[in-house]
Amino acid sequence: MASLPKASQKATPPAYRSTSERPSTVGLVAEGFREIASRRRLIRYLVQADMKKKGANTVLGNVWWVIDPLMLMIVYVVLVTVITQRPQPDYPLFIFSAILPWKWFTSTVSDAVTSVTGQERLIKQLHFPKLVLPVASTFSGVTSFVFGLIPLGLLLVLFYSDRITPYLLLIPVVAFVQLVLSMGLAIGVSAVNVFYRDLGNAIRHFLRLWFYLSPALYSAEQISSLGVDDPTITFLFGLNPFTILFESYRNVIYAGTPPMWGPLLALLAVSVAITCLATWGFKRLEPAFAKVL
Amino acid sequence: MTAPTTPGAAEAGTPGAVPPAPTRPEAVGFDGLPTATPPPAPDPAADLPSVIEVRDLGIRYSLRLTRKNTLRNTFINMFRKREGPKEFWALRHVDFDLVQGQSLAVIGPNGAGKSTLLQVLAGILTPSEGGVIVRGQVSSLLTLGAGFDQDLTGRENILLAGAFLGMDHREVLDRLEPIIEFADLGEFIDAPIKTYSSGMRARLGFSIATSVDPDVLLLDEVLATGDAIFRAKSKARILELVRSAKAIVLVTHDMGWVTEFCNRAMLIEKGAVIANGEPADVVAIHLEHAEEAKRAKLEQIRRYGGEAPKLAR
């Protein structure tokens, strides 16, 4: 008879304690980050599984990650050229440098919304840090961004070789700020969606609106020229994280200038704060997940 | 079969503190394996370390937050005074200790809170009141294949499950081959789980769940899985785990399992502990209560002229 090997003898058996008392706010956030750090391998497996799943049922498989942003770019180029007649110079590249990060952001957030609710069965039957679920969706979004850099490279080399500058090397820096921001939002929406499933429906429309209110298809200057007589619009527009992100991506990819360092640093600080806040909220709500799901 | 490691299990044939098992028409029945004798209850004077401590445990469910929750309902409820209870205690004021060598059977009618208790001990539910301490590695066999990813292969799912269970990566790799061998799926182990039959899935789940050698084993009637051969194999594996675990908590409706595996029993009704002690005594109380409930129901049916009794409002 096949028998399984004995567990390696542990020096001290782990004591597991569960009470109705909850740690302090800072304690909860620290606990959340510790959980993420200690379950890195689990997160990696979940990301791999997700990548495999996304490419599984199509003929071209993961090649779609390269084609998708290109197709989207063509659609918007046609649309905007027809409507405005007078787009920016080198408009395909202009638009691509915004579409690529935006696709990453939307896929991360919309995957994260269902990341906890989708694992309902597991949550009710096994004790594990639920934070790994939205964090894993955040990182699987990164892969689509990284694959999207392939068509970006092709565009640059084949059509816009005069726009290649060393500033391109700063793309990861801008992307890191976006990663922190999307991680915070992913953790937040995944927890709220457990209690209000409406969020999944609402968020798609919200994201679409957000996209059109951000300088993706147009440039920030065009908005500034509108808001000359109304400084509040310019101010509010500047508060949009994606104004900062899109402009920074565009600086390093399209314009060949450094990113907006000041606003970018401020955004990083805000994103870290959002991530801490979301982690705290998630940890507060986590004990109720198994009951509500 | 590995040698029993439970203290005193060597003389398991001579039941010391174990009461004579009530006569059962068929001891093991479905697999023809020899009947197991429950490990003898530890000597109460020995002052063994307690493995599980449960203190004034309460689990509250809020009836406002259910899965059908939407913003619309929240708004409606805000403006409407709700009649009926707002909360429900699945368990309340539960106190017990389990020392090394004890195996506890939790019995009771449906909805009494038995599975909730296991979920708390497994760490899935957090107490609303009081607390629990579990010393040692816990394994719950609540989890047969719960975390399977349909698109991954059997082998990949073992790695994933190991990561979910919080096992060390090296530990998982060490166990990979034995798990595959035990599940006995042939070349299907490298095929996606979605191509598996439900029996194959259960076999893989069982093999993963029992691959850990826990100090505390939590069992929730998941034992009859797969075909006859695998059932026999899995029962042997369960017996092995039962012998090597320091403490066992088993939730079951099968009174045969209670006397076969356990040297203590606890009866839970409506979230409260009714009886706690010798399995035979507790089973007797449970059967008496069940009989009473059945009589009451029959009486009700008779009074309403054979029609099903209306739900009490």
Side-chain angles (χ1 to χ4, degrees):
Chain A
M1 192 193 78
S3 90
L4 297 161
K6 284 267 158 269
S8 51
Q9 288 301 312
K10 289 191 181 63
T12 46
Y16 163 76
R17 191 182 297 257
S18 175
T19 62
S20 52
E21 287 158 37
R22 305 276 178 273
S24 66
T25 306
V26 179
L28 269 180
V29 176
E31 189 184 303
F33 289 151
R34 264 201 308 277
E35 284 172 355
I36 294 171
S38 67
R39 294 300 186 101
R40 285 187 309 269
R41 188 170 293 274
L42 175 56
I43 293 169
R44 211 179 78 198
Y45 283 150
L46 287 171
V47 171
Q48 282 170 356
D50 190 58
M51 284 168 68
K52 207 166 165 180
K53 204 172 303 169
K54 278 182 181 152
N57 298 318
T58 51
V59 178
L60 291 177
N62 296 349
V63 179
W64 275 111
W65 291 348
V66 178
I67 300 173
D68 256 349
L70 278 178
M71 298 301 248
L72 205 57
M73 180 197 77
I74 292 169
V75 169
Y76 279 123
V77 165
V78 170
L79 192 75
V80 173
T81 316
V82 167
I83 292 174
T84 67
Q85 309 286 333
R86 196 172 56 82
Q88 309 275 337
D90 290 347
Y91 194 59
L93 185 65
F94 176 88
I95 213 165
F96 196 84
S97 53
I99 284 177
L100 188 56
W102 182 258
K103 249 191 78 72
W104 167 27
F105 181 70
T106 47
S107 71
T108 300
V109 172
S110 46
D111 281 359
V113 167
T114 53
S115 63
V116 173
T117 48
Q119 295 286 3
E120 178 185 336
R121 243 166 73 82
L122 194 58
I123 288 169
K124 282 167 117 169
Q125 295 191 45
L126 187 66
H127 169 62
F128 68 97
K130 265 65 91 182
L131 262 176
V132 298
L133 300 172
V135 171
S137 359
T138 310
F139 283 109
S140 44
V142 177
T143 53
S144 81
F145 178 71
V146 171
F147 273 86
L149 292 176
I150 297 173
L152 175 68
L154 288 177
L155 269 181
L156 279 168
V157 171
L158 294 181
F159 301 107
Y160 307 108
S161 51
D162 52 325
R163 289 194 182 263
I164 296 176
T165 61
Y167 286 112
L168 283 173
L169 297 175
L170 289 175
I171 293 177
V173 177
V174 186
F176 176 75
V177 179
Q178 187 184 338
L179 177 71
V180 179
L181 177 70
S182 31
M183 172 117 54
L185 293 178
I187 292 172
V189 294
S190 67
V192 173
N193 192 51
V194 174
F195 301 92
Y196 297 107
R197 307 285 174 107
D198 311 62
L199 189 66
N201 302 43
I203 206 138
R204 274 178 306 158
H205 304 292
F206 176 73
L207 284 173
R208 177 150 297 187
L209 190 64
W210 194 353
F211 178 67
Y212 290 122
L213 289 178
S214 308
L217 305 179
Y218 46 88
S219 74
E221 289 98 65
Q222 282 170 302
I223 278 291
S224 307
S225 63
L226 279 181
V228 181
D229 47 345
D230 193 352
T232 46
I233 288 182
T234 333
F235 176 71
L236 285 176
F237 194 73
L239 283 186
N240 178 357
F242 271 92
T243 304
I244 302 166
L245 286 173
F246 284 157
E247 287 296 294
S248 294
Y249 278 116
R250 207 161 268 154
N251 281 1
V252 298
I253 296 171
Y254 174 81
T257 52
M260 305 158 71
W261 285 119
L264 205 57
L265 265 178
L267 181 59
L268 180 63
V270 171
S271 303
V272 169
I274 289 176
T275 304
C276 289
L277 188 74
T279 307
W280 169 77
F282 191 99
K283 290 295 294 174
R284 276 294 299 271
L285 296 171
E286 191 180 18
F289 288 175
K291 290 181 185 171
V292 176
L293 282 172
Chain B
M1 196 89 77
T2 48
T5 52
T6 318
E11 57 269 38
T14 58
V18 182
T23 45
R24 273 181 287 130
E26 44 171 3
V28 188
F30 66 85
D31 54 19
L33 279 165
T35 320
T37 332
D43 186 3
D47 195 28
L48 287 159
S50 66
V51 183
I52 297 177
E53 279 175 40
V54 176
R55 291 284 168 268
D56 191 34
L57 173 69
I59 293 288
R60 183 184 52 221
Y61 278 82
S62 164
L63 295 181
R64 289 179 163 220
L65 288 174
T66 60
R67 54 177 307 143
K68 296 269 152 51
N69 215 37
T70 61
L71 273 179
R72 186 170 159 263
N73 289 341
T74 306
F75 282 126
I76 291 171
N77 292 341
M78 247 191 258
F79 296 111
R80 192 199 287 165
K81 282 213 183 75
R82 285 259 298 232
E83 64 278 4
K86 291 190 192 76
E87 54 181 39
F88 162 73
W89 288 89
L91 285 176
R92 195 142 202 210
H93 305 312
V94 175
D95 270 280
F96 69 93
D97 275 271
L98 210 59
V99 302
Q100 202 167 320
Q102 281 187 325
S103 45
L104 174 74
V106 182
I107 54 178
N110 282 330
K114 305 183 296 289
S115 299
T116 306
L117 178 63
L118 274 202
Q119 284 185 307
V120 179
L121 293 177
I124 299 159
L125 291 180
T126 324
S128 315
E129 211 177 68
V132 299
I133 299 175
V134 181
R135 295 198 179 85
Q137 176 96 45
V138 185
S139 168
S140 58
L141 292 198
L142 321 169
T143 28
L144 292 192
F148 282 163
D149 192 309
Q150 295 298 313
D151 289 298
L152 297 185
T153 68
R155 193 186 298 271
E156 287 165 331
N157 264 300
I158 297 173
L159 296 175
L160 183 65
F164 262 121
L165 290 166
M167 279 192 225
D168 199 52
H169 184 57
R170 220 163 337 122
E171 214 175 313
V172 181
L173 290 184
D174 283 349
R175 278 145 201 252
L176 194 57
E177 284 311 315
I179 289 172
I180 291 171
E181 196 188 320
F182 193 85
D184 197 16
L185 296 170
E187 52 205 39
F188 267 98
I189 196 69
D190 288 311
I193 292 269
K194 60 185 169 195
T195 63
Y196 284 28
S197 71
S198 56
M200 289 160 75
R201 226 169 282 191
R203 272 155 68 174
L204 185 61
F206 182 91
S207 307
I208 295 171
T210 56
S211 72
V212 282
D213 272 302
D215 302 317
V216 180
L217 183 64
L218 309 172
L219 295 169
D220 192 355
E221 284 198 311
V222 287
L223 309 162
T225 47
D227 56 19
I229 298 166
F230 192 77
R231 273 212 302 272
K233 214 163 104 174
S234 60
K235 178 155 185 189
R237 177 66 192 149
I238 295 252
L239 287 174
E240 201 178 309
L241 283 174
V242 164
R243 292 215 185 86
S244 61
K246 278 191 198 143
I248 297 149
V249 181
L250 165 71
V251 164
T252 183
H253 287 285
D254 184 346
M255 294 307 128
W257 282 92
V258 178
T259 41
E260 188 172 339
F261 285 119
C262 303
N263 50 36
R264 251 185 82 186
M266 189 162 86
L267 172 62
I268 297 186
E269 279 174 15
K270 290 178 183 156
V273 178
I274 302 292
N276 186 353
E278 294 293 341
D281 303 346
V282 178
V283 167
I285 296 172
H286 173 54
L287 293 178
E288 202 178 291
H289 283 196
E291 196 58 40
E292 257 169 45
K294 208 162 115 191
R295 258 205 307 278
K297 189 142 284 174
L298 280 175
E299 180 60 34
Q300 210 173 1
I301 290 173
R302 206 171 301 129
R303 203 177 297 158
Y304 286 92
E307 272 174 51
K310 293 218 166 60
L311 278 175
R313 268 268 158 206

